[in-house]
């Protein structure tokens, strides 16, 4: 089974990305033939600064490697290193009804968040379909917001196969329902568009400031409190053991346990998990040629799979 996922390098990765996407990918690493790519073409729909895009691309790769991506088990590559993707995107474009893209929610959502209404943003699901189909993926782990894009991908694969013969597999989305929506420092969904994120590797003092600043109600320290639904407790659940979580819940319910205490426990639990990753990341970052080698080896392995399929596609479409 081939598993493929793509991550946009459009900002620093945060706790929501880690628990909502990265962690389940690391778990899947043991279960199939894995591909993970950094969707730098997709990120151009929002990033308009070359140096920033390059830095964010490198940061995503470092973050994944530091937190557990094993380049032996998972082929990691940059989208732009596999030119077959762009070529296929054009062939698919010529089969894509305008109405199909007009129905995509994410385009409208992104305009509502202030992104420019460009052709690239509108056509983004076609490029995503090309990413998936050229790699012959069976399973695509994504967040709920991407479900419709997987439907578009299947639809385009079917249209292509109807027109030119059975060339593409129809991939399935893998959307773990068990993954909770991780709250941000203001209690809303953690998202870079809401400016409420805690980044995986921002400086320790800045993480402390953000954790201590998580919004709570104004109950006094003495008052008993219901932990469920409280952002600090919900975040703590991600980092702590079952026993530790129980302990925090009963302390909250008993009273004489303030939000400040819980924030300190959360911060300690973050450090316990992430300090070793931070150390690994620093080592990796100090050796840029090693990162480059990993990415170019990934691109080679990805193209080894994409190139023969592209040959078939070209021959079928008459190019
Ligand atoms: P952002 O909302 O910060 O722009 P992205 O949309 O780039 O984040 O997130 C990439 C993936 O990370 C999403 O598809 C989703 O799987 C996961 N993710 C992001 N934020 C959260 C969150 N708050 N809770 C759960 N998963 C999240
Ligand atoms: N659109 C995805 C997101 O914003 C990123 C992405 C691009 C992707 N191409 C993909 C994900 C192919 C999975 C497969 O999160």
């Amino acid at each position: 089974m081939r598993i493929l996922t793509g991550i946009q390098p459009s900002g620093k990765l945060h706790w929501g990305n880690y628990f909502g996407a990265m962690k389940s990918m690391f778990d899947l690493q043991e279960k199939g033939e894995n591909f993970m790519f950094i969707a730098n073409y997709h990120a151009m729909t929002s990033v308009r600064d070359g140096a920033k895009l390059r830095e964010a691309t490198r940061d995503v790769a470092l973050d994944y490697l530091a937190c557990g991506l094993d380049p032996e088990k998972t082929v990691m590559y940059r989208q732009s290193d596999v030119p077959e993707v762009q070529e296929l995107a054009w062939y698919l474009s010529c089969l894509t009804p305008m109405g199909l893209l007009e129905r995509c929610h994410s385009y409208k959502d992104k305009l509502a968040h202030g992104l420019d209404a460009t052709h690239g943003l509108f056509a983004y699901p076609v490029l995503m379909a090309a990413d998936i189909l050229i790699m012959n993926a069976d399973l695509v782990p994504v967040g709920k917001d991407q479900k419709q894009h997987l439907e578009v991908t299947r639809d385009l694969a079917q249209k292509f196969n109807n027109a030119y013969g059975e060339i593409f597999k129809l991939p399935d989305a893998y959307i773990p329902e068990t993954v909770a929506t991780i709250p941000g420092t203001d209690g809303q969904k953690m998202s870079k568009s809401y400016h409420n994120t805690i980044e995986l590797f921002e400086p320790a003092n800045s993480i402390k400031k953000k954790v201590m600043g998580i919004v709570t109600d104004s109950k006094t320290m003495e008052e008993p409190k219901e932990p469920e639904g409280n952002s600090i407790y919900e975040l703590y659940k991600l980092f702590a053991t079952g026993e530790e979580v129980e302990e925090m819940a009963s302390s909250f319910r008993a009273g004489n346990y303030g939000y400040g205490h819980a924030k300190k426990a959360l911060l300690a639990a973050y450090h316990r998990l992430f300090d070793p990753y931070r150390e690994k990341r620093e080592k990796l970052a100090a050796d840029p040629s090693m990162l480059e080698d990993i990415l170019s080896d990934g691109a080679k392995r990805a193209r080894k799979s994409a190139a023969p399929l592209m040959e078939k596609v070209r021959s079928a479409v008459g190019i």
Side-chain angles (χ1 to χ4, degrees), residues 279-291:
E279 208 174 299
K280 184 163 176 205
R281 194 184 189 284
E282 276 160 17
K283 279 199 194 121
L284 290 162
D287 189 353
S289 66
M290 181 162 75
L291 181 65

Side-chain angles (χ1 to χ4, degrees), residues 5-22 24 64 110 124 141-146 175-176 179-184 188-197 238:
T5 194
I7 318 291
Q8 280 201 63
S10 49
K12 306 265 186 209
L13 295 178
H14 53 72
W15 290 10
N17 298 135
Y18 180 78
F19 290 104
M22 294 169 81
S24 39
Y64 268 78
K110 288 189 171 171
Y124 170 120
V142 280
K144 276 190 210 118
D145 57 320
Q146 299 294 320
I175 305 172
V179 173
T181 299
I182 318 300
Q188 286 190 83
K189 177 191 173 206
M190 187 178 285
S191 167
K192 60 180 173 290
S193 344
Y194 302 148
H195 306 290
N196 63 357
T197 61
L238 303 167

Side-chain angles (χ1 to χ4, degrees), residues 58-100:
R58 171 183 161 274
D59 279 347
V60 168
L62 286 175
D63 287 357
Y64 268 78
L65 288 168
C67 294
L69 184 140
D70 176 348
E72 295 299 319
K73 291 185 185 152
T74 298
V75 177
M76 178 169 69
Y77 59 98
R78 273 177 296 239
Q79 184 180 32
S80 55
D81 285 341
V82 180
E84 287 82 359
V85 167
Q86 284 292 356
E87 186 177 346
L88 180 60
W90 177 253
Y91 302 152
L92 295 175
S93 267
C94 294
L95 293 168
T96 308
M98 288 296 284
L100 187 66

Side-chain angles (χ1 to χ4, degrees), residues 11 16-17 43 72 100 140 156 162 164 175 179 252 283 293 296:
N17 298 135
E72 295 299 319
L100 187 66
V140 184
L156 295 183
N162 288 346
Y164 295 112
I175 305 172
V179 173
F252 265 133
K283 279 199 194 121
D293 287 350
S296 38

Side-chain angles (χ1 to χ4, degrees), residues 2-269:
R2 182 167 287 190
I3 305 169
L4 170 91
T5 194
I7 318 291
Q8 280 201 63
S10 49
K12 306 265 186 209
L13 295 178
H14 53 72
W15 290 10
N17 298 135
Y18 180 78
F19 290 104
M22 294 169 81
K23 201 163 168 270
S24 39
M25 202 210 94
F26 300 145
D27 296 341
L28 282 173
Q29 228 171 202
E30 311 302 327
K31 301 208 170 71
E33 202 192 347
N34 282 274
F35 289 78
M36 176 277 194
F37 72 95
I38 307 165
N40 51 353
Y41 284 138
H42 277 98
M44 287 183 68
T45 56
S46 63
V47 182
R48 294 276 157 74
D49 175 325
K52 267 199 189 136
L53 182 64
R54 205 167 291 116
E55 188 190 321
T57 303
R58 171 183 161 274
D59 279 347
V60 168
L62 286 175
D63 287 357
Y64 268 78
L65 288 168
C67 294
L69 184 140
D70 176 348
E72 295 299 319
K73 291 185 185 152
T74 298
V75 177
M76 178 169 69
Y77 59 98
R78 273 177 296 239
Q79 184 180 32
S80 55
D81 285 341
V82 180
E84 287 82 359
V85 167
Q86 284 292 356
E87 186 177 346
L88 180 60
W90 177 253
Y91 302 152
L92 295 175
S93 267
C94 294
L95 293 168
T96 308
M98 288 296 284
L100 187 66
L101 297 180
E102 277 158 3
R103 283 192 291 278
C104 286
H105 313 300
S106 111
Y107 178 69
K108 288 166 225 153
D109 289 352
K110 288 189 171 171
L111 293 194
H113 276 108
L115 260 70
D116 292 336
T118 59
H119 172 257
L121 188 63
F122 184 70
Y124 170 120
V126 181
L127 182 59
M128 180 159 166
D131 293 325
I132 297 169
L133 298 177
I134 199 64
M135 293 311 298
N136 231 344
D138 299 291
L139 204 63
V140 184
V142 280
K144 276 190 210 118
D145 57 320
Q146 299 294 320
K147 187 167 176 240
Q148 195 180 29
H149 293 159
L150 260 294
E151 286 158 13
V152 169
T153 302
R154 290 171 64 93
D155 207 347
L156 295 183
Q158 192 78 64
K159 282 193 196 317
F160 190 96
N161 289 350
N162 288 346
Y164 295 112
E166 289 297 312
I167 293 197
F168 293 121
K169 267 198 278 205
L170 267 51
D172 286 307
Y174 173 73
I175 305 172
E177 288 302 325
T178 47
V179 173
T181 299
I182 318 300
T185 50
D186 59 356
Q188 286 190 83
K189 177 191 173 206
M190 187 178 285
S191 167
K192 60 180 173 290
S193 344
Y194 302 148
H195 306 290
N196 63 357
T197 61
I198 306 177
E199 293 159 16
L200 298 182
F201 296 109
E202 64 187 292
N205 56 355
S206 154
I207 297 217
K208 182 172 179 192
K209 211 165 138 200
K210 287 188 179 176
V211 168
M212 297 318 278
I214 292 173
V215 174
T216 60
D217 60 33
S218 53
K219 286 206 171 80
T220 62
M221 193 194 62
E222 292 75 21
E223 277 177 86
K225 304 168 190 70
E226 174 48 46
E228 293 299 338
N230 171 321
S231 307
I232 310 165
Y233 179 69
E234 295 305 325
L235 291 170
Y236 189 65
K237 277 185 193 167
L238 303 167
F239 292 100
T241 64
E243 221 170 281
E244 290 167 332
V245 173
E246 281 298 304
E247 203 180 305
M248 182 181 279
S250 44
S251 305
F252 265 133
R253 291 195 176 105
N256 273 328
Y257 184 78
Y259 292 122
H261 296 120
K263 287 174 179 175
K264 278 192 190 135
L266 171 60
L267 193 61

